[in-house]
Amino acid sequence: MVKRTASAPDTEPETFSMPSEKEHLFEVTGVDVIDDNTVSVLCVVHAGIERGAKLQTRMTLDDNAKGFFATRKFLKACQLPYKGDIDIDTDTWYGCKFFADVVHVESTKPPKPGFENRPPLKFANIRDYNYEKTFCYEPEAAGHVVEKEWDA
């Protein structure tokens, strides 16, 4: 058992709003190390009515792992090197913006005791990235989406 005293602000707890199932412009706002080969990336909807909605996605940094393809797709969407020898520095991921299509999935884990009558947990995942759209702040850059023109 753990016992401790904690200090919390005198406000309501923050909620974790899940983005809807459609394409969104995301910004990477956090990267947490899970272990030597795995990170959790916090992606926040950058614009539109759902601005601030969040999803987390895990990525493997092990180029021999089966799931490394997903990391390469993320790097490509962020316009970072994803072919050949890649120097991965997750500090460079902060602020990265990319377009991705979201899908909702239900948890396949059985409910914990006492929660059997509640609906299954839902999670937002990235279905796929839109490499055709990129993000920049320069209106004259052809083929790019400008922040003030984007409304999800």
Side-chain angles (χ1 to χ4, degrees):
M1 175 180 272
V2 175
K3 292 184 179 184
R4 70 169 48 170
T5 301
S7 178
D10 191 23
T11 59
E12 292 299 311
E14 180 182 331
T15 59
F16 198 86
S17 177
M18 185 169 54
S20 63
E21 291 186 299
K22 66 177 189 175
E23 184 175 274
H24 295 280
L25 171 60
F26 286 99
E27 179 177 4
V28 174
T29 61
V31 179
D32 293 321
V33 176
I34 296 172
D35 60 39
D36 287 345
N37 291 316
T38 312
V39 294
S40 176
V41 181
L42 180 61
C43 305
V44 177
V45 174
H46 181 72
I49 196 164
E50 294 183 45
R51 184 182 183 116
K54 302 171 187 174
L55 68 76
Q56 284 190 283
T57 185
R58 286 184 179 214
M59 302 209 187
T60 181
L61 304 179
D62 179 357
D63 58 350
N64 293 312
K66 186 171 133 180
F68 190 66
F69 78 95
T71 304
R72 292 184 63 222
K73 290 175 73 169
F74 168 79
L75 293 171
K76 181 178 179 180
C78 288
Q79 301 175 27
L80 295 169
Y82 65 97
K83 294 179 181 178
D85 292 333
I86 307 167
D87 290 325
I88 296 176
D89 178 359
T90 59
D91 286 345
T92 65
W93 297 4
Y94 286 87
C96 165
K97 294 179 182 70
F98 59 89
F99 288 88
D101 189 39
V102 172
V103 63
H104 293 173
V105 294
E106 287 187 359
S107 175
T108 57
K109 292 182 181 179
K112 293 182 180 179
F115 293 90
E116 295 87 359
N117 295 329
R118 293 193 180 176
L121 291 175
K122 284 190 178 181
F123 301 95
N125 288 339
I126 293 173
R127 179 189 328 224
D128 207 358
Y129 298 93
N130 185 339
Y131 307 120
E132 301 301 315
K133 288 183 181 176
T134 57
F135 181 87
C136 73
Y137 289 98
E138 302 160 8
E140 63 278 355
H144 294 273
V145 175
V146 179
E147 182 175 21
K148 65 182 178 187
E149 294 176 0
W150 173 256
D151 188 21

